[in-house]
Amino acid sequence: MEITQETDYAVRCVLYLSSIGPEQTVRIEEIAAEMQIPRSFLAKILQKLTQADIVRSYRGVKGGFRLSRPPKEITLLQVVEAVEGPVAMNRCTREGSLCDFKKTCVVHPVWRRLRTIVETYMKDITFEKLKKERRQEAMAQNILTVRRKKT
Amino acid sequence: MEITQETDYAVRCVLYLSSIGPEQTVRIEEIAAEMQIPRSFLAKILQKLTQADIVRSYRGVKGGFRLSRPPKEITLLQVVEAVEGPVAMNRCTREGSLCDFKKTCVVHPVWRRLRTIVETYMKDITFEKLKKERRQEAMAQNILTVRRKKT
DNA sequence: ATAATACGAGACTAATTTTATCCTGTTTAG
DNA sequence: CTAAACAGGATAAAATTAGTCTCGTATTAT
């Protein structure tokens, strides 16, 4: 019942790209440094995000990554699914075929419903929202810093 | 974002015990056979359930297991937590200390909220509810069987 | 053109977690 | 006292997660 480290990295990565102007590109190197993600692992994650059309990649000298659409149109669910695949709580509810209890299992519907709940929640969290909160956090930090300097 | 096989076994195990009279005890052997769970693995799971005071164990000749309270008072959350530990979506939100982004991370609250949502849902699912549905399923199956016999 | 830069893809490795199994010890009914 | 049944710890196999490396391909500045 846990998201993986990889997913956490992916979310932070997209969050970082959300704070970048839509015209700029950012190199893996920079994202890795800023978000403290192992460089080569991040490269893999960005491949998945590219394939899911969440980010777009540009090769060559001035290359790098940027979001393929505005943060408003990118949800947490999309990012999670891009790296983890479909959010099924339970193997049975995904593979279906392999469960011997098939029709009579009363637990399946419970897991399926939980899945829907989780999906609904994550679908509602856009990176626009996260970005805004992030800016507010930064400002709050700033105020604190200024105050500290005054004293 | 998945429950483990172990959790699934645990849930099915408690579900089976819910269908047993509160005076009876059931041997590991029987549960394993009925619910198709590897015997020795189930033994381990039952240890955890015992330690979480969800089931009670009885040693010796007429020994076995039974629920330590009525199914109405056992929730899905309790069983899940008994085998998996606290339901934290994200390592940071559990270990806290190790995350470098601490205060400024806007994703943490999202995972925490999701956790609360999942917990709330699972807290509402009691084994009394599951048991009832199970009986209904069984009856439905029965009707179908009878019909089939008639033809 | 070509050299330097930056991502793409796949193979590979290491670490961790999950999924078990087994053995020895303890409890208990008869 | 003995056979039945769980308790607990050590161990092992399998699967998943996390991360690395190398070589290839595209792009741009010169």
Side-chain angles (χ1 to χ4, degrees):
Chain A
M1 188 69 76
E2 240 177 55
I3 60 160
T4 62
Q5 184 73 10
E6 188 184 16
T7 303
D8 197 72
Y9 288 157
V11 171
R12 270 154 50 195
C13 170
V14 173
L15 187 60
Y16 185 73
L17 290 174
S18 298
S19 70
I20 298 298
E23 307 292 285
Q24 292 177 58
T25 68
V26 188
R27 282 172 308 120
I28 291 179
E29 207 60 46
E30 182 182 329
I31 308 172
E34 286 292 321
M35 295 285 105
Q36 299 184 33
I37 303 169
R39 197 219 112 96
S40 54
F41 194 26
L42 177 59
K44 282 289 158 210
I45 294 168
L46 277 162
Q47 273 181 38
K48 290 189 187 176
L49 292 173
T50 305
Q51 278 153 15
D53 194 36
I54 290 167
V55 307
R56 199 156 288 169
S57 77
Y58 300 87
R59 290 182 169 188
V61 174
K62 285 262 179 177
F65 294 87
R66 75 174 66 139
L67 296 183
S68 58
R69 49 210 145 88
K72 189 177 59 182
E73 292 169 27
I74 299 175
T75 70
L76 186 60
L77 181 63
Q78 284 162 9
V79 173
V80 170
E81 287 192 332
V83 297
E84 289 195 2
V87 180
M89 290 298 157
N90 178 308
R91 288 174 193 190
C92 301
T93 59
R94 195 177 38 201
E95 295 160 20
S97 53
L98 289 170
C99 182
D100 279 339
F101 300 93
K102 292 163 202 159
K103 306 283 175 185
T104 53
C105 179
V106 297
V107 189
H108 281 197
V110 171
W111 298 131
R112 272 203 302 272
R113 176 119 180 73
L114 181 54
R115 173 186 174 166
T116 304
I117 288 171
V118 169
E119 283 178 348
T120 303
Y121 172 69
M122 294 203 298
K123 208 180 288 177
D124 185 54
I125 311 281
T126 70
F127 279 83
E128 179 70 18
K129 286 186 187 179
L130 293 177
K131 186 182 135 189
K132 274 183 191 158
E133 286 177 37
R134 191 152 178 256
R135 257 208 302 268
Q136 283 171 9
E137 284 286 353
M139 276 167 60
Q141 286 294 108
N142 235 345
I143 291 165
L144 288 174
T145 314
V146 171
R147 276 224 187 110
R148 230 178 283 125
K149 276 182 185 165
K150 272 185 183 172
T151 49
Chain B
M1 188 70 78
E2 239 176 55
I3 60 160
T4 63
Q5 184 74 8
E6 188 183 16
T7 304
D8 197 71
Y9 287 159
V11 171
R12 271 155 48 194
C13 171
V14 173
L15 188 60
Y16 185 73
L17 290 173
S18 298
S19 69
I20 297 299
E23 307 291 286
Q24 292 176 59
T25 68
V26 188
R27 283 172 307 119
I28 290 179
E29 207 61 45
E30 181 181 329
I31 307 173
E34 286 292 321
M35 294 284 105
Q36 299 182 34
I37 303 169
R39 195 219 114 96
S40 55
F41 194 26
L42 177 60
K44 284 288 158 211
I45 294 168
L46 278 162
Q47 273 179 39
K48 290 187 187 177
L49 292 174
T50 305
Q51 280 153 14
D53 195 36
I54 290 167
V55 307
R56 198 156 289 169
S57 78
Y58 300 87
R59 290 182 168 189
V61 175
K62 283 264 177 179
F65 294 87
R66 75 173 65 138
L67 296 183
S68 57
R69 48 211 146 86
K72 189 176 57 180
E73 292 170 28
I74 299 174
T75 70
L76 186 59
L77 181 63
Q78 284 161 11
V79 173
V80 169
E81 286 192 331
V83 297
E84 290 195 359
V87 179
M89 289 298 155
N90 176 306
R91 288 174 192 189
C92 301
T93 58
R94 195 177 38 202
E95 296 162 17
S97 53
L98 289 171
C99 182
D100 279 339
F101 301 93
K102 294 160 199 159
K103 308 281 176 184
T104 53
C105 179
V106 297
V107 189
H108 281 198
V110 171
W111 297 131
R112 273 202 302 271
R113 177 119 181 73
L114 180 55
R115 173 186 174 166
T116 305
I117 289 171
V118 169
E119 283 178 347
T120 303
Y121 173 69
M122 296 203 298
K123 209 179 287 177
D124 185 54
I125 312 281
T126 71
F127 279 82
E128 178 70 19
K129 286 187 186 178
L130 292 176
K131 186 183 137 190
K132 274 184 189 156
E133 286 176 37
R134 193 154 177 254
R135 257 206 304 268
Q136 283 172 11
E137 284 287 350
M139 278 165 59
Q141 284 296 108
N142 235 347
I143 290 165
L144 288 174
T145 316
V146 171
R147 276 223 186 112
R148 228 178 283 125
K149 276 180 187 165
K150 272 186 182 170
T151 50

